[in-house]
């Protein structure tokens, strides 16, 4: 299986990075957290103009109809820049959900606007443990709720505190039924895996941004008359972060390449765990390298620290994904034994 990105994919990632570097993303993140989404929406429209929001949208709905690996490339750059907004929901999860339903009316209604950046969508999964909570339901133009075998539209009801102020969470309540039946269950499963994959890519991108910030700061901050980056302990810590990020990347690419196969859920969960752990290690190292200044909300590093903490459980906790991997491996072993017994 090939894990290396093509020259076109590398160029696409580079172009998105340049766009986001020029977009004053930290200011947009702070405005978004304060309840002013205008700079963030402008940045999102630029991403849409570059094709990033229409990657998972089929051509008949105004999208690109690209492969999941292209989506991973885009979301790594979005994570590297900590772009605010319900981008996973708009560009990954909801397109996968609506395009998996037999009735195409909802897809035709909303997906063209998503691909153009003219509208944003958010998606909530009803949970007995956490209730029904959606990201940025106050800003999203479309709120969808997946509740068992029903898909409904919804509206925001109350704000929920989040560790990342730029990830505004809301309790949402149901309105009209969009679709129902067994096909909804299958579509929701596809949407969850697509969203979890994009979320893992964001984590990997954020981890690389934190590593870059820590490395640069280690060259500037001095102790005992020399940059702390010259101390072996600091070098080793940053090297461990780099190794973790580099080892997580192939798992992310594998998950993207197997989205249409029976191992989809297992591979996505493996990518989520690996990218989440690597990004969290990068966050801890960056905070230790920066010292007390890393804690301050005024310093840009805090935007990535809180983002990584929130994203680690945004699309399923590590325990949930480890359970999915365990069940998948157990089921595979049972099938193999059954096949051997049948011979």
């Amino acid at each position: 299986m090939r894990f290396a990105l093509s020259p076109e994919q590398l160029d696409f990632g580079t172009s998105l990075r340049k766009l986001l570097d020029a977009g004053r993303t930290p200011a947009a993140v702070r405005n978004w957290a304060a309840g002013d989404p205008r700079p963030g929406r402008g940045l999102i429209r630029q991403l849409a103009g570059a094709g990033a929001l229409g990657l998972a949208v089929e051509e008949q709905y105004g999208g690109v109809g690209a492969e999941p690996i292209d989506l991973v490339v885009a979301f790594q750059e979005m994570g590297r820049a900590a772009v605010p907004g319900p981008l996973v929901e708009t560009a990954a999860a909801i397109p996968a959900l609506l395009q998996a339903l037999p009735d195409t009316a909802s897809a035709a209604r909303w997906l063209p606007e998503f691909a153009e950046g003219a509208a944003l969508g958010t998606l909530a999964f009803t949970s007995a443990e956490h209730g029904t909570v959606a990201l940025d339901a106050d800003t999203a133009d479309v709120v969808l709720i997946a509740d068992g075998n029903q898909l409904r539209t919804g509206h925001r009801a109350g704000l929920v505190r989040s560790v990342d102020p730029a990830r505004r969470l809301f309790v949402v309540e149901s309105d009209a039924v969009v679709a129902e039946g067994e096909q909804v269950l299958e579509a929701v499963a596809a949407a969850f895996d697509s969203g979890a994959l994009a979320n893992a890519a964001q984590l990997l991108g954020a981890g690389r941004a934190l590593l870059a910030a820590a490395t640069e700061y280690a060259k500037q901050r001095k102790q005992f008359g020399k940059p702390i980056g010259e101390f072996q302990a600091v070098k080793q810590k940053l090297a461990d972060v780099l190794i973790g990020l580099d080892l997580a990347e192939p798992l992310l690419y594998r998950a993207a390449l197997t989205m249409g196969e029976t191992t989809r859920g297992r591979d996505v969960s493996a990518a989520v765990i690996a990218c989440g752990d690597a990004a969290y290690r990068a966050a801890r190292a960056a905070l230790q390298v920066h010292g007390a200044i890393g804690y301050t909300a005024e310093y840009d590093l805090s935007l990535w620290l809180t983002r990584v903490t929130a994203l680690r459980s945004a699309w399923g906790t590590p325990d949930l994904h480890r359970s999915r991997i365990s069940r998948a491996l157990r089921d595979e072993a049972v099938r193999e034994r059954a096949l051997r017994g049948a011979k």
Side-chain angles (χ1 to χ4, degrees), residues 38-335:
R38 289 173 296 176
R41 295 284 299 238
L43 190 61
I44 290 169
R45 283 192 292 271
Q46 291 183 55
L47 286 170
L53 267 63
L55 292 170
V57 178
E58 296 173 0
E59 293 183 19
Q60 61 180 316
Y61 303 122
V64 179
E67 298 295 325
I69 192 70
D70 300 304
L71 197 69
V72 162
V73 171
F75 272 95
Q76 283 189 75
E77 296 306 325
M78 295 181 204
R80 192 188 296 266
V83 183
L87 294 172
V88 169
E89 292 79 0
T90 300
I94 295 179
L97 172 63
L98 297 182
Q99 289 168 166
L101 295 174
D103 184 0
T104 61
S106 297
R109 176 184 175 188
W110 291 317
L111 294 188
E113 292 190 3
F114 288 178
E116 294 174 1
L120 296 174
T122 190
L123 175 63
F125 299 89
T126 298
S127 165
E129 181 180 358
H130 301 293
T132 307
V133 179
L135 174 67
D136 294 319
D138 61 332
T139 304
D141 304 281
V142 179
V143 178
L144 295 177
I145 300 172
D147 184 4
N149 66 349
Q150 284 191 335
L151 179 65
R152 295 173 174 267
T153 56
H155 63 275
R156 65 186 176 99
L159 183 65
V160 179
R161 184 186 174 114
S162 172
V163 68
D164 180 0
R167 286 179 55 83
R168 295 165 59 83
L169 302 176
F170 291 85
V171 174
V172 290
E173 297 178 351
S174 298
D175 292 328
V177 175
V178 175
E180 58 184 335
E182 289 298 318
Q183 68 272 18
V184 172
L185 293 174
E186 297 177 4
V188 168
F192 179 82
D193 284 336
S194 183
L197 176 69
N199 190 67
Q202 278 193 314
L203 278 164
L204 188 64
R208 293 205 181 278
L210 286 163
L211 175 59
T215 301
E216 186 61 30
Y217 193 75
K219 298 175 184 178
Q220 302 171 10
R221 181 183 175 187
K222 291 185 177 181
Q223 292 286 341
F224 306 109
K226 62 181 181 179
I228 64 171
E230 294 183 12
F231 293 111
Q232 186 63 34
V234 176
K235 291 180 181 179
Q236 187 64 54
K237 184 175 289 293
L238 296 179
D240 288 342
V241 170
L242 177 61
I243 291 170
L245 293 167
D246 284 349
L247 289 177
E249 190 173 66
L251 291 175
L252 180 65
Y253 292 162
R254 177 183 174 85
L257 293 170
T258 59
M259 282 297 283
E261 301 180 12
T262 57
T263 61
R264 180 188 74 194
R266 181 200 69 186
D267 294 340
V268 166
S269 288
V272 169
I273 291 171
C275 293
D277 288 350
Y280 183 65
R281 187 181 299 112
R284 287 179 59 88
L287 185 56
Q288 289 169 343
V289 168
H290 280 76
I293 194 173
Y295 284 100
T296 62
E298 294 78 11
Y299 196 67
D300 284 350
L301 185 75
S302 65
L303 304 179
W304 279 265
L305 295 176
T306 55
R307 181 63 53 87
V308 165
T309 302
L311 291 182
R312 282 193 82 200
S313 59
W315 285 80
T317 64
D319 285 344
L320 181 146
H321 287 286
R322 288 188 174 92
S323 296
R324 292 217 309 170
I325 294 171
S326 177
R327 285 196 303 270
L329 294 176
R330 184 180 63 243
D331 292 346
E332 288 175 14
V334 169
R335 286 194 296 270

Side-chain angles (χ1 to χ4, degrees), residues 8-24:
E8 292 79 11
Q9 290 164 338
L10 292 171
D11 289 343
F12 178 54
T14 300
S15 67
L16 291 182
R17 189 177 306 180
K18 290 179 179 178
L19 183 156
L20 293 170
D21 285 345
R24 299 183 63 194

